[in-house]
Amino acid sequence: MAYIEPSEFVTKMVDSGEQKVFMSTKDTLIRAFMAGAILALAAMFSITVMVNTGSPLLGAVLFPVGFIMLYLMKFDLLTGVFTLVPLAYLDRRPGVTLNQVLRNWGLVFLGNFAGALTVAVGMSFILTYGYSIDGGEIAAKAAQIGESRTVGYKEHGLSGWMTIFIRGILCNWMVSMGVVGAMISTSAGSKMAAMWMPIMLFFYMGFEHSIVNMFLFPFGLIMGGDFSVADYFLWNELPTVLGNLIGGFLLVGLPLYYTHVRTSPARRLA
């Protein structure tokens, strides 16, 4: 595989963040919509595998196919732009302001949510033949996950909220390692391998990914989950998004930038 040195691929990270800031509204929304939809399908695929085989590990092993597909098509996830776009601001790229960074995040959030919600409605319709029958084991599993990861956290109050928040940090630490890992090579096969490992880890460990949740919880609600929209936003999506932001930017983007781009002078020994 053609390996790229960190000083090179971290510069590519900054360039990518700058490019995303200046992307048109139309292109940003379309790419974000497609990313949310593909990741939602991958989550549905993984749940189906887990229910049909009884193996959470197999579901985690196969889940990264969605992330790989959307990344190779250059679609955008909120978790990825949390890591890349602020680097262009830190690097003082011309025209990259804090307002422009927030604009990008907002558009990607909307696009991801619309894509994930579209898949949630479509899959719920398929499973129930237009809501005329019960959704079966898969629907029951989705509803159970939705309840346990909203009101289940709510029962623990602040400790529950902080638990989701920390899981969100750990999640985007791993997801962003996948994003960065894909930049270390020009080979498609090597990119896939670099992405596969951290994505599989986050999914199997039950860390919280804001875009996966944009599918999972609306789908769980439609399938009869005993929690509310307010429960979903307050006791899952909000702390997950904040955790994803910190995990991607502070644990991946910032350390790489400050040690491979904005480096300190080498030590001089007497």
Side-chain angles (χ1 to χ4, degrees), residues 54-177:
S55 172
L57 177 59
L58 184 58
V61 169
L62 295 175
F63 172 74
V65 297
F67 182 85
I68 289 170
M69 284 190 289
L70 71 89
Y71 185 88
L72 293 179
M73 296 298 106
K74 298 297 181 184
F75 296 146
D76 286 330
L77 290 173
L78 185 64
T79 45
V81 297
F82 275 163
T83 303
L84 300 176
V85 173
L87 297 182
Y89 177 72
L90 280 181
D91 206 50
R92 299 176 182 175
R93 296 292 175 92
V96 180
T97 64
L98 184 58
N99 283 341
Q100 294 302 317
V101 171
L102 295 175
R103 170 190 172 276
N104 173 263
W105 289 353
L107 290 174
V108 173
F109 180 95
L110 290 175
N112 286 168
F113 195 90
L117 185 61
T118 298
V119 172
V121 173
M123 290 307 305
S124 65
F125 191 96
I126 290 171
L127 285 179
T128 61
Y129 286 85
Y131 310 108
S132 62
I133 64 170
D134 182 80
E137 285 186 74
I138 295 173
K141 179 67 173 178
Q144 182 269 322
I145 292 172
E147 291 172 16
S148 66
R149 288 164 67 173
T150 51
V151 293
Y153 287 127
K154 186 178 180 179
E155 291 174 358
H156 296 279
L158 180 60
S159 296
W161 199 94
M162 289 302 298
T163 297
I164 314 170
F165 175 65
I166 294 171
R167 284 185 171 181
I169 293 174
L170 295 174
C171 171
N172 208 25
W173 184 9
M174 291 297 97
V175 172
S176 294
M177 289 296 291

Side-chain angles (χ1 to χ4, degrees), residues 6-269:
S7 58
E8 297 178 75
F9 73 71
V10 178
T11 299
K12 287 177 60 179
M13 291 169 62
V14 181
D15 293 340
S16 177
E18 181 183 21
Q19 182 265 333
K20 293 179 191 304
V21 166
F22 292 109
M23 193 185 303
S24 71
T25 300
K26 180 206 73 175
D27 290 346
T28 302
L29 286 172
I30 291 174
R31 293 187 189 191
F33 180 94
M34 294 305 300
I38 291 171
L39 202 68
L41 282 172
M44 186 68 197
F45 170 55
S46 183
I47 292 172
T48 303
V49 169
M50 288 189 286
V51 169
N52 290 343
T53 66
S55 172
L57 177 59
L58 184 58
V61 169
L62 295 175
F63 172 74
V65 297
F67 182 85
I68 289 170
M69 284 190 289
L70 71 89
Y71 185 88
L72 293 179
M73 296 298 106
K74 298 297 181 184
F75 296 146
D76 286 330
L77 290 173
L78 185 64
T79 45
V81 297
F82 275 163
T83 303
L84 300 176
V85 173
L87 297 182
Y89 177 72
L90 280 181
D91 206 50
R92 299 176 182 175
R93 296 292 175 92
V96 180
T97 64
L98 184 58
N99 283 341
Q100 294 302 317
V101 171
L102 295 175
R103 170 190 172 276
N104 173 263
W105 289 353
L107 290 174
V108 173
F109 180 95
L110 290 175
N112 286 168
F113 195 90
L117 185 61
T118 298
V119 172
V121 173
M123 290 307 305
S124 65
F125 191 96
I126 290 171
L127 285 179
T128 61
Y129 286 85
Y131 310 108
S132 62
I133 64 170
D134 182 80
E137 285 186 74
I138 295 173
K141 179 67 173 178
Q144 182 269 322
I145 292 172
E147 291 172 16
S148 66
R149 288 164 67 173
T150 51
V151 293
Y153 287 127
K154 186 178 180 179
E155 291 174 358
H156 296 279
L158 180 60
S159 296
W161 199 94
M162 289 302 298
T163 297
I164 314 170
F165 175 65
I166 294 171
R167 284 185 171 181
I169 293 174
L170 295 174
C171 171
N172 208 25
W173 184 9
M174 291 297 97
V175 172
S176 294
M177 289 296 291
V179 171
V180 173
M183 296 182 177
I184 69 173
S185 173
T186 56
S187 159
S190 299
K191 287 177 181 288
M192 292 178 192
M195 288 186 276
W196 204 290
M197 296 178 286
I199 303 304
M200 177 177 63
L201 188 156
F202 108 72
F203 197 85
Y204 187 70
M205 293 296 290
F207 298 154
E208 298 282 355
H209 191 278
S210 53
I211 294 86
V212 171
N213 293 352
M214 289 174 186
F215 160 75
L216 188 59
F217 292 92
F219 181 70
L221 272 172
I222 297 170
M223 293 292 95
D226 188 17
F227 60 99
S228 68
V229 172
D231 288 331
Y232 158 57
F233 277 105
L234 182 59
W235 291 97
N236 192 284
E237 194 64 37
L238 177 60
T240 298
V241 166
L242 294 174
N244 287 171
L245 169 58
I246 290 175
F249 180 55
L250 293 186
L251 297 182
V252 180
L254 207 59
L256 286 170
Y257 177 75
Y258 272 105
T259 195
H260 291 299
V261 175
R262 193 173 291 184
T263 56
S264 298
R267 295 173 61 229
R268 293 183 178 275
L269 301 179

